[in-house]
Amino acid sequence: EELNEADIPVINLDVQVDENGLTEAFVGSDDYNAGKLCGEDLAGRKPDGGSVVIVDCLDSPAVNERITGFEEAIINVGFEVTRIDTGNDYSTIPGQLREILSAEGQTDAIMCADDRMAEQVLETLDAEEKNDIPVYSIGGSPAVKSALADLAGPMTGVGAKSPINMGKTAVKTAAAILENGVYEPEIYVETFFIDKDNVDMYGTDGWQ
């Protein structure tokens, strides 16, 4: 608000502020597509459906976009969905997941709305010796890509964001604003799929 009053333009990255009228431009990720890519991969691996656990945070618009993309990709496959709502406390994930894993029935896959959730899930699966359950996530952090690089591990795929390209896009937008040029007020940087087959191309020591 103070920057707006001072007539200083703000470029908002990644997580959009509620009062977007206060910002000059927003550069984010195509969250819907990131979730869709994970769902398409799961549908290809499990064409007869099954049981999937979705770990999400219902009060986050970005998370909702990711999970919507994922669910729409599997909607006609025949998956039964169980949800873990983390709220703002990711430490609740292990307890909720253990309860699901200990119940009757089989869990065929786990979809996580971001990489921090995935890390909690991977640790829990390892502790419960359930490393045969495919895990998906959104992000592409070094930790999750390292888990992908473990060919025997449960981490299966990531709907990857590109913070590097977001940063480059923000710089180009800032230059256009300062030069009174043409720019897009909302830009959604492409998301793409990383799995065990191509993770080496992106590396595990940084973001892409």
Side-chain angles (χ1 to χ4, degrees), residues 12-155:
N12 181 190
L13 279 172
D14 196 27
V15 180
Q16 195 164 22
V17 297
D18 292 334
E19 296 294 333
N20 55 21
L22 297 174
T23 62
E24 194 72 20
F26 171 71
V27 181
S29 298
D30 188 345
D31 286 304
Y32 176 89
N33 183 63
K36 178 172 174 281
L37 292 171
C38 291
E40 288 175 342
D41 187 79
L42 176 59
R45 293 174 184 270
K46 304 279 186 180
D48 297 325
S51 176
V52 61
V53 175
I54 294 179
V55 186
D56 63 11
C57 177
L58 297 176
D59 62 355
S60 167
V63 165
N64 290 339
E65 281 291 300
R66 298 168 189 174
I67 298 304
T68 297
F70 175 79
E71 289 187 299
E72 290 188 358
I74 66 169
I75 193 168
N76 294 320
V77 182
F79 277 98
E80 179 182 341
V81 173
T82 302
R83 295 185 185 278
I84 293 177
D85 180 15
T86 65
N88 292 316
D89 186 2
Y90 286 16
S91 68
T92 65
I93 293 173
Q96 293 188 66
L97 182 55
R98 286 191 188 98
E99 187 175 336
I100 292 170
L101 295 174
S102 64
E104 292 185 10
Q106 178 175 324
T107 298
D108 295 299
I110 302 174
M111 171 64 189
C112 304
D114 71 33
D115 287 345
R116 290 189 300 137
M117 295 176 183
E119 289 182 46
Q120 294 277 349
V121 166
L122 292 170
E123 289 176 8
T124 304
L125 292 180
D126 187 53
E128 297 295 314
E129 298 183 345
K130 297 279 189 179
N131 286 319
D132 58 340
I133 300 174
V135 177
Y136 293 87
S137 180
I138 305 295
S141 69
V144 165
K145 286 188 294 183
S146 293
L148 263 182
D150 177 4
L151 298 181
M155 195 69 218

